[in-house]
Amino acid sequence: MVVVNHTIILGVHELYIDKALLPPRYALPTLCVLSINSHLITIIENAKALLIDNELSDVTIQTAIPLWYFQLTNRYHYDIKTFAHIGHDFIRFSGILRPYKEPHFITPKIPINSLHHAPPTIKQIDLAQLSIPFARSLVKEINNLNDQYSRLDELYWSIDPVVEEIRKLDESTEQSLSLESDSALESLNKQSNELDEQKVAINTQLEILSMRLLFKVFGISKGDWVSFIPRVDHSPQRLQFEYCEVFENVLTITGSGITQNGKLGKRQQHISIELVRLS
Amino acid sequence: MNIQKLISAVRQARKRRKINDFHETPRSGIDVSDDEFNVTLVMLKTLFKYFKAQSCLIHISFYGEIIITLTEMGHSFELSITNRPHFLNIDEYLEQLKTAAYIRLPSHNPHNSMTLSVKTIRPKAIWKHYSIDINNTENTLIEQVFNDLKTKMNSYSNQEGESSYAVIPSKNDLLAAIHFGGAFLGTSSMLYHLSKLLTNRIYIREISIAEHVISIDGSNYADKSEHWFGKREAKFFTQYLPSNSFKQSLNL
C-alpha cells in the first residue's frame, strides 16, 4: 500500500489534435485529481533518468494514477485511458475517452519540484565530484566540442564581412554579374549559412552534454533548487535551475534566485562552473 | 425475481452503460473500476437481501439502474454505488482554477470515497450520499439509509411525480447512442457525421430511431430531417438500445 502524502487538483483543457474529433462538451472531465505518492515519484525519477540518457525532451507513459472527476455525474470515471507526459521539469496528463483513439483532453503542466508539499531541498554542487573518471570523460567531451565551436565561430565571423557585402550586392543588383564569380560568391553565402547551422547543432549537443554532466555528476536537473559556493569569494549562490549553457569552457547555470527566507525570488542569478581542461 | 437474477442483470447491463459517457443526463447505477466491481456486487447482494426482507420490489433497468419500490408506501427510489470525491465545494475549486493551473489540497485521500447514494424518484429530489466500505457492509448503515428514506417518504402526500423517472429510451438515451456510435464506428459511419451535426443543434424536440432511419425534429417545421442508416449502425443500436425502441418508432 502506497502512502498518499497529499493531493493536487488540476483543470482540464480540450486538446485539438483533430478538429473533426470533437466529443460533446459534457463528455469531458471537469477536474483531474492527482494523489502524490511514492509510486508517482519513482515513475518521475525513472523518466527523468531516461530523458537524460536518451537525449529526449519528454516521455509519455500510460498510467492509472490520476482520477478524472466529472461534474455532470459528480463522480470519478474509470473508463479513461490516461497518459503521463514527463519532461525535464514538468509533468502533465492527457486522456482518451474509450472509443476514441487519440488523446483529446489534457491538463496544464505542473512543475515537478512543486509536487512536494515542502519547498524543494536545495542541492549542493560539490566541485570535487568533477574529478571522478566519468565526470572527467564528460568534461573532456564538452571541452572538445567547445573547441570545435570556437573554431567554427571564428571562421563564421571572419567570412561574415564578405558575406554581408555579397548579400548587399545581391539585393542592389538585378542582373547577374559575370557567371563564374557569381557562383563563387553564391557558394560563400551558402557556406556561411551552413556554418550557422553547424553552430546551432553543436550548441544543442553542448546543452545536452552539460545537462547530462549536471545530472550524472551532481545529481541536479531542470527545476531543482541548487546552491554553489564559488572558489573565489565564498558567498553562496542559490537559484532554481532553469537552463544551462557552455561558453569558453565555463558552464553557466541560470535561473531565478532563491531568497534568504527560502522563497523563489524574481532576479535572475547565475552559477558559473569552470570546466578545467585536463591535460 | 430472485436475487441472483437481479445481480446478473446488473452485470449484463454494465456493458451498455458505456453510452453514459456521452449522455447529457447519465443514468444512475453501479460505476466502479473493474477490480472493484465483483466486491461491489457482493455488497449489492447484501443490500438486496435486506430490501427484500423489508418487502421491497427491486427492478433493474436496461441500463443497469437500480430502482427499489417500498410496497407499503408506494414510493420508489434509485440506488447508486460509485467512487465520489467528498469535496466540500467543487464550484470553489473551479473558480480558483480560472486563475491557477492547479490547486494543492492538504492531506486528503480521494480513493477512499466509495459512496452509496440514494434518491427518491420525485421531481427535484436530490441525491443523498453515504460513505461505505465495500469490503465490509454493516447492516446498521443499510438500516440508517432505509430509515432516512422512510422518513422522507412519509412526508410525501401523493403519488405525483412518480413519472419523473425517464422511461427507456429517453431522448437523451437516443442522443447518447448517436454520439457514442459516432465515436465508436468512426468517420466511415453516418453516425459520426450526424453526431457532429447534432452537437451544434441547440434544441431537438423529438428524435426517434426506427428500423433503418433516424428522424429528428427540431424547434420548427423546417428543422425536420431523416437520416438513413445501414447494417453496421443497426447492429450497434441493437446492442445499446432496447430492441423494442427502434422496431417501432417511439413518441417521447
Side-chain angles (χ1 to χ4, degrees):
Chain A
M1 181 70 192
V2 276
V3 184
V4 175
N5 300 329
H6 58 278
T7 303
I8 278 181
I9 295 185
L10 295 130
V12 179
H13 304 308
E14 242 173 303
L15 190 60
Y16 298 105
I17 283 184
D18 175 7
K19 273 269 182 192
L21 182 121
L22 274 184
R25 274 215 60 93
Y26 50 77
L28 286 172
T30 322
L31 295 172
C32 171
V33 179
L34 176 65
S35 301
I36 316 292
N37 53 35
S38 50
H39 178 51
L40 178 69
I41 302 293
T42 324
I43 289 178
I44 291 175
E45 269 160 19
N46 290 344
K48 262 180 149 178
L50 208 63
L51 289 173
I52 302 272
D53 285 345
N54 299 296
E55 303 174 10
L56 305 170
S57 65
D58 65 31
V59 284
T60 304
I61 303 164
Q62 197 179 333
T63 174
I65 292 176
L67 291 170
W68 300 99
Y69 169 80
F70 283 66
Q71 197 175 27
L72 182 67
T73 47
N74 184 23
R75 66 177 175 87
Y76 297 119
H77 283 211
Y78 289 99
D79 40 6
I80 289 174
K81 213 176 187 178
T82 311
F83 296 98
H85 306 268
I86 304 166
H88 286 284
D89 54 355
F90 69 86
I91 181 166
R92 70 194 311 183
F93 297 91
S94 68
I96 314 175
L97 212 57
R98 214 17 84 75
Y100 291 116
K101 305 278 187 304
E102 298 283 334
H104 57 99
F105 50 84
I106 196 160
T107 67
K109 291 176 181 175
I110 329 174
I112 285 175
N113 66 9
S114 67
L115 287 181
H116 301 275
H117 208 31
T121 47
I122 296 178
K123 293 179 182 168
Q124 182 83 32
I125 294 181
D126 179 12
L127 283 185
Q129 296 278 346
L130 273 178
S131 57
I132 60 168
F134 176 74
R136 286 159 72 114
S137 76
L138 262 179
V139 169
K140 202 171 168 192
E141 211 175 325
I142 291 175
N143 284 335
N144 287 344
L145 260 180
N146 204 17
D147 289 350
Q148 208 180 329
Y149 183 83
S150 330
R151 280 201 299 276
L152 280 176
D153 202 45
E154 219 167 277
L155 184 58
Y156 179 84
W157 287 111
S158 55
I159 66 167
D160 186 69
V162 188
V163 173
E164 199 64 12
E165 289 305 315
I166 292 169
R167 284 176 186 157
K168 259 188 219 160
L169 190 66
D170 207 29
E171 267 169 35
S172 55
T173 55
E174 272 178 14
Q175 71 264 56
S176 51
L177 305 164
S178 104
L179 201 63
E180 290 97 67
S181 58
D182 198 35
S183 65
L185 295 177
E186 186 58 37
S187 73
L188 198 58
N189 192 1
K190 222 190 238 168
Q191 199 176 355
S192 166
N193 289 340
E194 274 169 19
L195 279 176
D196 198 32
E197 269 170 36
Q198 282 176 26
K199 272 170 62 184
V200 172
I202 291 185
N203 232 336
T204 323
Q205 191 62 30
L206 269 175
E207 197 193 321
I208 290 169
L209 280 179
S210 46
M211 288 271 291
R212 191 177 293 172
L213 178 81
L214 290 173
F215 185 72
K216 293 265 164 108
V217 177
F218 302 118
I220 60 172
S221 57
K222 277 189 184 173
D224 283 348
W225 287 17
V226 180
S227 93
F228 178 63
I229 301 168
R231 279 184 184 154
V232 199
D233 60 355
H234 298 292
S235 66
Q237 287 166 319
R238 299 191 297 171
L239 57 80
Q240 173 174 286
F241 179 3
E242 273 155 30
Y243 63 92
C244 61
E245 56 189 352
V246 179
F247 186 68
E248 305 212 318
N249 294 331
V250 176
L251 172 58
T252 310
I253 303 171
T254 311
S256 314
I258 296 158
T259 57
Q260 290 287 340
N261 41 21
K263 286 199 176 120
L264 209 59
K266 280 179 190 157
R267 267 181 44 199
Q268 291 273 305
Q269 301 267 15
H270 307 277
I271 289 176
S272 299
I273 302 168
E274 201 174 341
L275 302 175
V276 191
R277 185 171 295 276
L278 305 150
S279 48
Chain B
M1 223 196 274
N2 69 34
I3 287 171
Q4 201 46 52
K5 270 193 178 149
L6 290 170
I7 295 289
S8 74
V10 172
R11 200 187 281 277
Q12 290 268 313
R14 191 168 194 235
K15 51 182 188 283
R16 293 182 207 117
R17 294 183 63 79
K18 279 184 195 158
I19 78 161
N20 259 339
D21 285 343
F22 290 80
H23 211 297
E24 235 181 304
T25 49
R27 292 186 174 272
S28 66
I30 311 290
D31 291 292
V32 294
S33 62
D34 290 347
D35 36 332
E36 282 167 328
F37 189 63
N38 284 330
V39 196
T40 311
L41 286 189
V42 174
M43 179 199 162
L44 197 63
K45 210 166 173 175
T46 328
L47 283 172
F48 283 174
K49 269 184 195 156
Y50 179 87
F51 289 126
K52 277 245 157 161
Q54 306 295 321
S55 68
C56 293
L57 288 176
I58 303 170
H59 171 71
I60 311 293
S61 80
F62 181 75
Y63 289 117
E65 292 158 290
I66 300 161
I67 294 145
I68 300 168
T69 313
L70 278 71
T71 37
E72 44 173 315
M73 314 203 98
H75 292 292
S76 313
F77 67 95
E78 288 175 63
L79 187 143
S80 156
I81 299 173
T82 185
N83 209 336
R84 295 180 200 274
H86 285 289
F87 294 157
L88 293 173
N89 32 22
I90 291 287
D91 288 336
E92 195 192 307
Y93 294 139
L94 284 174
E95 193 59 40
Q96 282 180 32
L97 281 173
K98 279 181 189 164
T99 49
Y102 60 90
I103 310 167
R104 182 194 302 280
L105 295 188
S107 187
H108 164 78
N109 191 344
H111 294 278
N112 186 20
S113 48
M114 195 56 84
T115 309
L116 170 73
S117 313
V118 289
K119 186 184 80 146
T120 50
I121 297 178
R122 302 278 287 190
K124 291 181 186 166
I126 51 166
W127 286 95
K128 196 164 166 50
H129 307 295
Y130 301 85
S131 278
I132 45 160
D133 179 1
I134 44 168
N135 294 309
N136 172 29
T137 334
E138 293 165 24
N139 258 339
T140 49
L141 177 77
I142 310 177
E143 268 166 43
Q144 191 203 331
V145 174
F146 193 71
N147 288 333
D148 285 356
L149 277 165
K150 264 182 152 172
T151 325
K152 194 156 210 185
M153 286 173 177
N154 267 330
S155 67
Y156 296 159
S157 53
N158 52 25
Q159 295 290 333
E160 169 254 340
E162 291 295 308
S163 62
S164 75
Y165 170 72
V167 180
I168 291 174
S170 67
K171 181 165 79 181
N172 282 339
D173 290 334
L174 298 179
L175 270 173
I178 290 171
H179 287 313
F180 178 59
F184 186 76
L185 300 172
T187 41
S188 63
S189 166
M190 54 73 72
L191 284 181
Y192 181 90
H193 303 282
L194 183 60
S195 155
K196 255 172 79 182
L197 185 86
L198 291 179
T199 337
N200 299 328
R201 288 281 277 274
I202 295 161
Y203 180 69
I204 294 153
R205 195 166 63 85
E206 197 183 305
I207 178 165
S208 70
I209 300 180
E211 211 169 334
H212 295 298
V213 63
I214 303 169
S215 324
I216 290 156
D217 196 351
S219 45
N220 60 39
Y221 180 75
D223 272 351
K224 231 172 185 163
S225 60
E226 288 194 332
H227 307 267
W228 293 80
F229 58 83
K231 273 186 191 152
R232 223 150 61 95
E233 288 82 6
K235 201 179 153 212
F236 171 83
F237 284 140
T238 42
Q239 235 172 325
Y240 291 99
L241 293 175
S243 53
N244 63 339
S245 69
F246 66 107
K247 284 278 161 57
Q248 80 238 20
S249 172
L250 261 171
N251 241 1
L252 302 166

